[in-house]
Amino acid sequence: MTYHIKRVGVIGAGTMGAAIAALVAGTGIPVLLLDVPPRSLTPDEEAKGLTLSHPQVRNRIVQQGFERMRKARPSNLYTERSAELITLGNTEDDFHRLAECDWIVEAIVEQIGPKQALMARLEEVRKPTAIITTNTSGIPIRIIAEGRSEAFRRHFFGSHFFNPPRYLRLLEIIPGDDADPTVVAAFRQFAEERLGKGVVICKDRPNFIGNRIFVYAGQVLLNFALQHGYQVEEVDALTGPLIGRPNTASFRLLDQVGIDVMAYVAGNLYDAIPDDESREVYRQNDLTQRMVAAGKLGKKVGQGFYKEMKRDGKREFWPIDLQTLEYIPPQGTASVDALIAAARKIKSLPERLRFILSKAETEHDRGAQLVAAAMYPMMAYAARRLPEIADSVADVDNAMRWGFAHEQGPFQLWQAMGIAETAARMRTFGETLPAWVDELIKAEGRFYGEIDGQPAAYNVATGKLEPISRDPRAIDLAALKAAGRELFGNDSASVIDLGDGVLCFELHSKANTIGGPVIETLIKALDELEQGPWVGMVIGNQGPRFSAGLDLNDVGAAVMAGAWDDIDEYAALVQQTFRRMRDSAKPVVSAPFGQTLGGGVELSMHTAASVAAAETYMGFVEFGVGVIPAWGGCTEMNRRIIATAARNGHDPLKAFQQVFETIALAKVATSAHEAKELGLLRPTDRIVFNPDYLIGEAKREVLRLVADGYTPTISAKPCYALGRDGLAAARIAIYQMREAGFATPYDAVLAEKLAYVLCGGELSSPQWVDDVYMHSLERITVIELLKDERTQARARHMLEHGKPLRN
């Protein structure tokens, strides 16, 4: 049977339930969000004369959950418009409406009784093909399904989302013993393709994979820090990006999760795993008990391991003293700074860790010993839990990467650092390893390898490497390059053969900024595209961001030397190259994702189409360094929005205001959906939710355009210049913003220059102009700005401090 999920029901409008509803609605699927009706009136409701039967009262709890979700930051919604797809109701008046749903997910209180009672009610209303899942984080699936029919159990399993569901990729699917494999496979496909999730199939064991290992590792590290007198700042400095983990590191992450939540989960695990040899680690320590008792629960209450304070009018985050529980001014990390500085020079994470961990043994370095406590116990425990929680090492690695944003999973790091060597070091540190690891080492085996050229991972249950299933859309650029498919390139960019006649122009400079070497390679790529046997090209990469824009260092030297003609010539070359790419007879498709800023936006916009990741943060941020978009960005925004409005009989002045505000206010879209609303993406541009598929889907878009007989569609006079009419309106708005204190003196100067370019200069009347004319205005204006000391001050401040200067 083919399963189509066209309508979804979510029961429970708490933090997770409402956020899951937002995630689903963001993909365009209607959602019914239910919660219980209240049992008593609030004072405000009583004052209004309302009763418990009033609709406003009966939906109060679900409405409150919905509003909390909408106000949460970072946003749960891809765009505010997607909230319109969420219908609210309660579990008494609207429960029957769940019969319309193809997938119903339960996200109510973590108690067995209420969950079992809800499943009994769902069995009465669900349609025969409906999939029922629970978002439980630790209650056994088999217990929740007790008493249900075989037909119900065949369609029931766990779907454990990680918070916040929009941003954390991991989805743990936990099939019960009776779950139909075809139903699970259909839901997995839906979750990967439509929701963009990284799915891991877990065994029905307490806390599944991610939380089982994460909580253990966190408890071990906290106990080690307390026993050896480490301070909060030291621990976080050592256990963040330095070892391949997020900036939240350890204590900041606990604040985000909630100290009470961690204590609750650890306590539940302690009770649920009597046979775990490391069970005592989960016993609550004195510190967490004291903090929970004192109400220091983390970010949700404004104080946990850190508390926001003000000193001398500046905001600071003061760490807690782990002995006194008093908040103290930041002390710095002098005791570990030397180790951190030396380690940061090593780019490769496995090599960096080898360097740090070697010092834990040879020099008994204080910082290195803490890193050892963060790494070795987690790796050893993960090995000991196989095959209890999963069979494949890949499932564990994916859970830690997708659920906790680790750069690499424990087994990936273990292999990269040397399996036998690292095992010996773990034992020196006091860790116990399972027999299967010794057998693997004796056989000179590996956690990861290849079978017939396809990636494979070690399966503990079978004792051998097993193929890793991979969707054909999940193109791996690094693997293609390793296989010799890179045609040419330099340290900043490469051109890769994606197969089927499609090229890929890959950026890989620092922050994927765009400088001379990138443009040089792009020109060569366009030559290859035009002259070779290729049908089209993708612009994309698989780094942490699409592009942070202009390489300021690339232009800085020329500015310092006053080489204005060189700067103008370079800008003209970039504009010409981008126009050439846009007007190519063979389609070029951009694949933006993550940070896509400034020149990165301009690169993306000058293509036949874009296939954007849902998590694309796109915007013109040039005002921050004292310039305006000058690589065709102003021109493209005019052409796409102002000229389109004029052509379609709409008010071009209103469209101009939209473009002006987007650039002048440095608006950055918080999703690809918002990028469409800002005009940075076209209405026809596709959005992909699974980032693994982005390059593959962009390639498919190239091939689709070719099959449809692609020809460039840029008109001869694509821009509409409002001239003096638009400038007059802009000057009034700029004056008002300046007088109201919303703009600095130099903001006003920049805004005037921007308006001048967008309006096509001081033309006496509105008229159509070509993009070459607009490009010349961009260049003339940006040179004027670069000569201004205030722009130079902004650029220096950005380079030195990483944030804009308001002057």
Side-chain angles (χ1 to χ4, degrees):
M1 178 179 292
T2 302
Y3 288 85
H4 297 289
I5 296 177
K6 298 180 179 179
R7 186 174 295 274
V8 173
V10 179
I11 307 174
T15 300
M16 285 301 297
I20 292 169
L23 170 71
V24 174
T27 70
I29 299 174
V31 182
L32 175 65
L33 178 62
L34 305 182
D35 211 315
V36 295
R39 300 304 177 201
S40 61
L41 295 172
T42 66
D44 183 57
E45 289 168 342
E46 289 180 345
K48 292 179 179 178
L50 302 179
T51 67
L52 286 174
S53 62
H54 193 283
Q56 181 180 332
V57 175
R58 295 188 70 73
N59 281 353
R60 185 221 308 152
I61 294 175
V62 70
Q63 185 71 46
Q64 289 173 339
F66 177 74
E67 293 302 331
R68 282 194 301 271
M69 176 274 290
R70 291 180 71 170
K71 294 175 183 176
R73 293 293 178 267
S75 177
N76 289 299
L77 294 162
Y78 287 108
T79 174
E80 190 62 29
R81 290 182 181 178
S82 61
E84 298 171 4
L85 288 173
I86 302 175
T87 302
L88 305 184
N90 67 74
T91 54
E92 290 184 6
D93 303 326
D94 304 290
F95 202 80
H96 64 281
R97 299 176 66 181
L98 292 169
E100 305 168 1
C101 297
D102 305 297
W103 167 38
I104 304 168
V105 57
E106 168 269 307
I108 66 171
V109 62
E110 277 289 273
Q111 295 177 12
I112 293 174
K115 289 183 185 289
Q116 289 181 329
L118 178 60
M119 295 306 150
R121 292 186 66 195
L122 284 173
E123 184 163 21
E124 295 178 0
V125 301
R126 64 174 285 270
K127 60 183 178 182
T129 58
I131 296 170
I132 313 294
T133 69
T134 172
N135 189 58
T136 180
S137 59
I139 298 176
I141 304 304
R142 64 185 181 279
I143 293 178
I144 297 175
E146 279 182 359
R148 306 281 58 79
S149 68
E150 179 186 355
F152 183 96
R153 295 197 308 273
R154 285 173 63 82
H155 291 80
F156 175 74
F157 46 89
S159 60
H160 180 217
F161 290 84
F162 276 60
N163 190 33
R166 172 183 162 184
Y167 298 98
L168 290 182
R169 274 194 72 196
L170 179 60
L171 173 61
E172 292 180 323
I173 292 181
I174 312 97
D177 293 337
D178 300 321
D180 185 335
T182 60
V183 177
V184 175
F187 183 79
R188 177 176 188 163
Q189 183 178 7
F190 165 78
E192 290 176 337
E193 292 185 1
R194 195 67 182 267
L195 303 183
K197 292 298 163 190
V199 173
V200 170
I201 303 296
C202 306
K203 295 186 178 182
D204 192 8
R205 296 294 298 154
N207 283 74
F208 317 128
I209 297 176
N211 281 339
R212 183 75 176 270
I213 295 172
F214 169 73
V215 175
Y216 172 84
Q219 290 285 104
V220 169
L221 183 63
L222 179 56
N223 291 338
F224 186 88
L226 291 171
Q227 291 165 9
H228 295 86
Y230 290 87
Q231 297 303 311
V232 168
E233 289 176 278
E234 291 178 309
V235 174
D236 278 355
L238 291 163
T239 58
L242 185 75
I243 63 170
R245 298 182 185 177
N247 287 323
T248 47
S250 299
F251 288 118
R252 288 189 188 89
L253 181 57
L254 288 176
D255 273 357
Q256 189 169 302
V257 172
I259 289 89
D260 56 333
V261 173
M262 284 296 294
Y264 173 79
V265 172
N268 279 356
L269 267 171
Y270 182 83
D271 295 335
I273 51 173
D275 299 327
D276 189 320
E277 77 288 334
S278 303
R279 182 191 187 205
E280 287 304 312
V281 168
Y282 294 101
R283 189 186 292 275
Q284 285 192 45
N285 58 52
D286 179 63
L287 174 64
T288 54
Q289 288 179 336
R290 289 165 60 206
M291 290 185 70
V292 171
K296 299 182 177 184
L297 308 181
K299 187 176 180 181
K300 60 189 172 186
V301 297
Q303 59 175 7
F305 287 104
Y306 291 92
K307 184 176 183 178
E308 184 177 331
M309 307 286 278
K310 281 195 174 181
R311 183 166 59 167
D312 298 329
K314 294 182 179 180
R315 187 178 67 160
E316 294 182 341
F317 289 92
W318 287 22
I320 201 169
D321 184 297
L322 295 176
Q323 281 69 48
T324 67
L325 297 195
E326 297 295 326
Y327 293 98
I328 58 177
Q331 305 293 304
T333 55
S335 61
V336 296
D337 282 349
L339 174 70
I340 293 172
R344 280 178 175 166
K345 296 177 182 178
I346 304 172
K347 187 174 182 181
S348 164
L349 175 60
E351 289 304 313
R352 191 187 316 139
L353 286 170
R354 282 170 63 96
F355 167 78
I356 295 172
L357 293 170
S358 67
K359 290 184 173 294
E361 299 174 36
T362 60
E363 301 177 20
H364 301 289
D365 182 274
R366 174 180 171 80
Q369 288 180 321
L370 183 90
V371 171
M375 299 300 301
Y376 289 152
M378 179 190 69
M379 297 164 77
Y381 187 71
R384 294 198 299 271
R385 294 283 64 78
L386 298 181
E388 177 197 346
I389 60 176
D391 292 332
S392 173
V393 297
D395 288 333
V396 173
D397 283 341
N398 287 336
M400 300 312 292
R401 290 190 304 112
W402 293 335
F404 304 98
H406 288 194
E407 188 175 325
Q408 294 185 33
F411 293 105
Q412 291 173 312
L413 286 171
W414 191 340
Q415 177 164 307
M417 293 190 294
I419 297 176
E421 174 189 345
T422 303
R425 286 183 169 180
M426 285 189 206
R427 288 195 164 100
T428 300
F429 195 75
E431 293 300 320
T432 302
L433 299 177
W436 72 262
V437 171
D438 292 327
E439 293 167 4
L440 184 79
I441 293 172
K442 185 177 180 180
E444 298 183 353
R446 295 166 61 83
F447 297 134
Y448 290 94
E450 289 188 353
I451 296 177
D452 298 328
Q454 299 300 313
Y458 188 76
N459 186 302
V460 178
T462 63
K464 61 182 181 180
L465 290 173
E466 300 282 355
I468 299 174
S469 60
R470 190 175 181 88
D471 191 287
R473 290 168 295 178
I475 293 174
D476 186 336
L477 295 180
L480 290 179
K481 292 167 78 171
R485 300 275 284 276
E486 181 178 0
L487 302 184
F488 52 82
N490 51 37
D491 291 339
S492 298
S494 298
V495 175
I496 305 163
D497 177 5
L498 296 181
D500 299 316
V502 181
L503 295 173
C504 178
F505 176 76
E506 177 202 31
L507 283 81
H508 47 73
S509 58
K510 184 177 180 180
N512 289 341
T513 53
I514 301 172
V518 170
I519 298 303
E520 174 188 332
T521 309
L522 180 57
I523 292 171
K524 192 174 179 181
L526 292 171
D527 290 341
E528 177 69 25
L529 175 64
E530 292 169 2
Q531 299 166 14
W534 313 102
V535 299
M537 184 166 71
V538 170
I539 307 285
N541 68 82
Q542 292 175 327
R545 63 184 63 80
F546 181 75
S547 174
L550 167 71
D551 184 348
L552 291 175
N553 290 307
D554 204 42
V555 178
V559 171
M560 294 297 291
W564 310 117
D565 289 344
D566 291 344
I567 295 173
D568 182 64
E569 184 178 334
Y570 176 60
L573 174 65
V574 177
Q575 291 175 339
Q576 178 185 356
T577 303
F578 284 5
R579 281 202 309 270
R580 178 186 174 194
M581 178 173 65
R582 183 197 66 189
D583 298 339
S584 170
K586 298 178 180 180
V588 178
V589 173
S590 61
F593 67 97
Q595 282 187 330
T596 304
L597 305 175
V601 179
E602 293 172 302
L603 173 65
S604 178
M605 291 180 83
H606 284 82
T607 55
S610 294
V611 176
E615 297 300 338
T616 300
Y617 316 121
M618 205 170 196
F620 290 109
V621 294
E622 282 84 351
F623 263 42
V625 291
V627 294
I628 65 169
W631 286 348
C634 292
T635 303
E636 282 299 300
M637 290 295 281
N638 181 303
R639 187 178 67 82
R640 288 190 180 189
I641 300 174
I642 302 172
T644 298
R647 242 182 237 110
N648 294 335
H650 302 308
D651 183 2
L653 191 58
K654 186 175 180 180
F656 161 75
Q657 181 181 356
Q658 175 191 335
V659 173
F660 177 78
E661 290 180 356
T662 297
I663 300 175
L665 299 179
K667 291 184 178 180
V668 176
T670 62
S671 68
H673 300 75
E674 284 193 3
K676 283 192 174 186
E677 293 174 0
L678 292 175
L680 303 171
L681 292 173
R682 307 170 185 85
T684 55
D685 286 336
R686 291 182 51 217
I687 296 175
V688 173
F689 288 86
N690 192 322
D692 289 346
Y693 300 164
L694 187 60
I695 297 294
E697 290 290 0
K699 174 186 170 182
R700 288 177 62 180
E701 184 66 10
V702 168
L703 296 174
R704 184 192 69 79
L705 290 170
V706 172
D708 290 347
Y710 173 77
T711 55
T713 58
I714 305 301
S715 62
K717 292 187 177 181
C719 299
Y720 188 74
L722 286 162
R724 292 175 183 173
D725 292 351
L727 278 172
R731 284 165 179 158
I732 293 171
I734 294 167
Y735 174 79
Q736 291 172 339
M737 291 181 68
R738 178 74 184 92
E739 289 299 303
F742 295 124
T744 67
Y746 200 50
D747 285 339
V749 172
L750 292 167
E752 171 103 14
K753 297 289 188 182
L754 172 64
Y756 180 85
V757 173
L758 290 175
C759 292
E762 294 275 6
L763 298 174
S764 59
S765 61
Q767 56 191 275
W768 294 96
V769 297
D770 61 29
D771 53 8
V772 175
Y773 169 78
M774 295 290 290
H775 283 170
S776 68
L777 289 181
E778 288 183 355
R779 295 200 315 276
I780 292 169
T781 303
V782 85
I783 294 295
E784 291 175 355
L785 291 171
L786 287 172
K787 290 178 179 180
D788 195 303
E789 292 182 358
R790 292 167 292 183
T791 283
Q792 295 172 22
R794 287 194 175 197
R796 283 195 302 271
H797 194 272
M798 180 64 75
L799 285 170
E800 294 171 5
H801 303 285
K803 55 185 179 181
L805 169 70
R806 298 293 304 279
N807 55 359

